[in-house]
């Protein structure tokens, strides 16, 4: 049993679409523009899975509409990375759909609908695999990284936060990661954060596992920035990490975007680490900063040679404290259903 790496062959990419009943209501058109750009980039390359109370009108007449699979269900928000299934694959190639508890990043926000999306997806037959109830354990997809070979990367700030699995020790939690996800080697980052982040330092905002024992990570190059010291400590710790074979990781720094603030003066968590690996491409967030955006593309091309690197303007997404990777979830190729479904067949309300 293993949790595939993100660069493992994929079937769907999931988006949970924003609507007027979410916190996006005050800027719904702007964020839907961003989701439409994402949908265009995803569905041009591979099948798209959409969850929402109603099929998004913006997608109804797209040339790729036949590549969209849809399930109608109530949703609280749009952060598919954290409420979607984590899919493991066993030694016989059978997928297992692990439904962990999502509690709104430590009970900060309502998640009553989002925590039920997975059961609706499974009931609709949109995914192949055995449903595994893991709701006795709180775990968000953005809090862990897998290399597909038994190594997980995570942060102690998130997984040890008392608002998630408060009765479990670090040793207990590591045991659960190994038992449920097939991990054999867990790397714990004890440093690193982003101002404006609601997740208690999800690893996908800070450092990402890449092929060939590479870790892409954010590096702050401004000594006057509030993040400088903590991210320098994170970089120092990354240098100490070793593969199971005892070799150091190849470290690939990502550029540091200039600070972005909301209308109330709150700093927003812009990060180039929040990229999505697809079958033939890497989608990464851009922030209207041409030099930094281009440098991020160059770094990611080095991390994923042979894949097209495509930027998506995510300035709308960071207004609600997340970015591109946070709103997506990939499913391994093994989870693709054998039957082709029509978007009109899955209204489960």
């Amino acid at each position: 049993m293993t949790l595939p790496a993100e660069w493992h062959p994929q079937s769907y990419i999931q988006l949970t679409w924003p609507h007027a009943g979410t916190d996006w209501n005050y800027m719904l058109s702007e964020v839907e523009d961003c989701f439409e750009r994402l949908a265009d980039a995803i569905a041009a390359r591979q099948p798209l899975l959409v969850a929402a109370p109603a099929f998004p009108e913006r997608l109804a007449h797209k040339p790729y509409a036949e590549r969209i699979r849809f399930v109608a269900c109530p949703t609280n928000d749009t952060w598919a990375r954290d409420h979607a299934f984590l899919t493991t694959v066993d030694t016989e190639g059978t997928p297992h759909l692990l439904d962990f508890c999502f509690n709104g990043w430590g009970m900060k926000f309502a998640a009553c609908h989002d925590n039920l999306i997975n059961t609706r997806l499974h009931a609709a037959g949109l995914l192949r695999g055995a449903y595994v109830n893991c709701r006795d354990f709180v775990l968000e997809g953005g809090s862990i990284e897998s290399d597909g070979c038994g190594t997980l990367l995570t942060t102690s700030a998130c997984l040890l936060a008392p608002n998630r699995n408060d009765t479990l020790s670090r040793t207990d939690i590591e045991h659960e990661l190994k038992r449920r996800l097939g991990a054999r080697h867990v790397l714990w980052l004890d440093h690193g954060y982003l101002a404006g982040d609601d997740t208690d330092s999800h690893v996908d905002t800070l450092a990402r596992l890449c092929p060939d024992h590479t870790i892409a990570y954010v590096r702050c190059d401004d000594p006057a920035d509030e993040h400088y010291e903590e991210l320098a400590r994170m970089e120092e710790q990354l240098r100490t990490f070793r593969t199971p074979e005892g070799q150091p990781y190849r470290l690939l720094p990502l550029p540091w975007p200039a600070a972005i603030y909301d209308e109330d003066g709150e700093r927003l968590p812009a990060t180039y680490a929040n990229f999505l690996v697809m079958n033939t491409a890497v989608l990464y967030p851009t922030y209207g900063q041409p030099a930094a955006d281009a440098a991020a593309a160059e770094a990611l091309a080095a991390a994923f040679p042979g894949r097209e690197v495509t930027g998506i303007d995510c300035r709308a997404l960071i207004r609600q404290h997340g970015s591109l990777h946070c709103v997506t979830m990939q499913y391994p190729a093994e989870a693709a259903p054998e039957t082709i479904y029509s978007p009109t067949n899955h209204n489960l309300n």
Side-chain angles (χ1 to χ4, degrees):
M1 182 78 68
T2 188
L3 180 65
E6 198 161 306
W7 55 90
H8 179 88
Q10 300 171 2
S11 51
Y12 298 120
I13 301 288
Q14 180 180 334
L15 292 174
T16 302
W17 204 265
H19 55 85
T22 65
D23 288 342
W24 293 110
N25 186 44
Y26 76 104
M27 54 175 290
L28 188 57
S29 179
E30 183 180 352
V31 78
E32 281 199 281
D33 287 346
C34 182
F35 267 73
E36 185 175 0
R37 291 191 294 270
L38 270 171
D40 290 346
I42 292 167
R45 296 169 173 86
Q46 63 193 80
L48 173 65
L49 175 59
V50 175
F55 191 80
E57 293 183 7
R58 290 173 179 242
L59 303 183
H61 303 293
K62 292 288 187 178
Y64 54 73
E66 289 301 314
R67 303 186 73 183
I68 301 173
R69 303 294 174 260
F70 172 68
V71 61
C73 57
T75 64
N76 299 104
D77 217 322
T78 53
W79 308 107
R81 179 63 47 181
D82 298 333
H83 60 242
F85 282 117
L86 289 172
T87 309
T88 59
V89 179
D90 65 26
T91 55
E92 296 181 353
T94 302
H96 298 261
L97 305 168
L98 277 57
D99 189 9
F100 288 95
C101 177
F102 174 58
N103 72 349
W105 308 285
M107 298 175 285
K108 297 183 183 74
F109 303 96
C112 54
H113 298 314
D114 290 347
N115 205 37
L116 297 175
I117 292 173
N118 289 340
T119 55
R120 290 171 175 268
L121 290 178
H122 187 257
L126 289 170
L127 297 164
R128 188 175 74 89
Y131 176 89
V132 183
N133 187 341
C134 296
R135 291 189 184 171
D136 59 335
F137 189 73
V138 178
L139 186 67
E140 299 118 32
S143 70
I144 55 171
E145 280 281 299
S146 173
D147 70 352
C149 298
T151 294
L152 293 184
L153 174 66
T154 190
T155 67
S156 54
C158 179
L159 263 63
L160 303 184
N163 52 13
R164 286 175 172 82
N165 299 296
D166 61 315
T167 64
L168 301 182
S169 68
R170 178 167 170 153
T171 299
D172 294 333
I173 289 174
E174 185 164 324
H175 172 76
E176 292 301 317
L177 295 176
K178 292 178 176 179
R179 182 173 72 88
R180 298 171 191 257
L181 300 176
R184 298 186 297 277
H185 184 218
V186 181
L187 301 169
W188 291 86
L189 267 178
D190 300 312
H191 300 284
Y193 80 99
L194 291 180
D197 169 42
D198 291 323
T199 68
D200 303 305
S201 296
H202 270 186
V203 74
D204 72 349
T205 68
L206 298 169
R208 304 287 303 279
L209 292 175
C210 305
D212 302 318
H213 301 310
T214 298
I215 299 178
Y217 68 100
V218 294
R219 173 196 278 171
C220 178
D221 55 4
D222 180 4
D225 192 289
E226 65 178 289
H227 299 87
Y228 181 80
E229 183 175 345
E230 185 67 9
L231 290 179
R233 290 179 178 176
M234 183 184 80
E235 184 178 46
E236 290 174 4
Q237 187 177 17
L238 287 170
R239 290 196 185 105
T240 71
F241 285 170
R242 295 293 181 268
T243 69
E245 295 76 28
Q247 299 300 310
Y249 283 87
R250 170 196 178 208
L251 299 183
L252 190 63
L254 297 169
W256 185 246
I260 303 174
Y261 299 90
D262 67 12
E263 61 275 9
D264 297 320
E266 179 183 2
R267 188 163 181 173
L268 299 173
T271 170
Y272 291 112
N274 212 243
F275 57 85
L276 172 70
V277 186
M278 298 176 58
N279 285 331
T280 62
V282 177
L283 304 186
Y284 80 102
T286 63
Y287 301 108
Q289 301 178 25
D293 292 346
E298 184 177 353
L300 292 172
F304 296 94
R307 281 180 166 84
E308 176 188 7
V309 178
T310 299
I312 304 291
D313 187 337
C314 288
R315 284 175 286 182
L317 292 184
I318 61 172
R319 296 281 294 278
Q320 284 292 320
H321 312 287
S323 200
L324 191 155
H325 194 247
C326 303
V327 297
T328 58
M329 174 56 83
Q330 76 286 343
Y331 291 92
E334 291 86 348
E338 296 179 0
T339 307
I340 301 300
Y341 292 88
S342 165
T344 60
N345 287 345
H346 302 296
N347 190 324
L348 302 181
N349 281 333

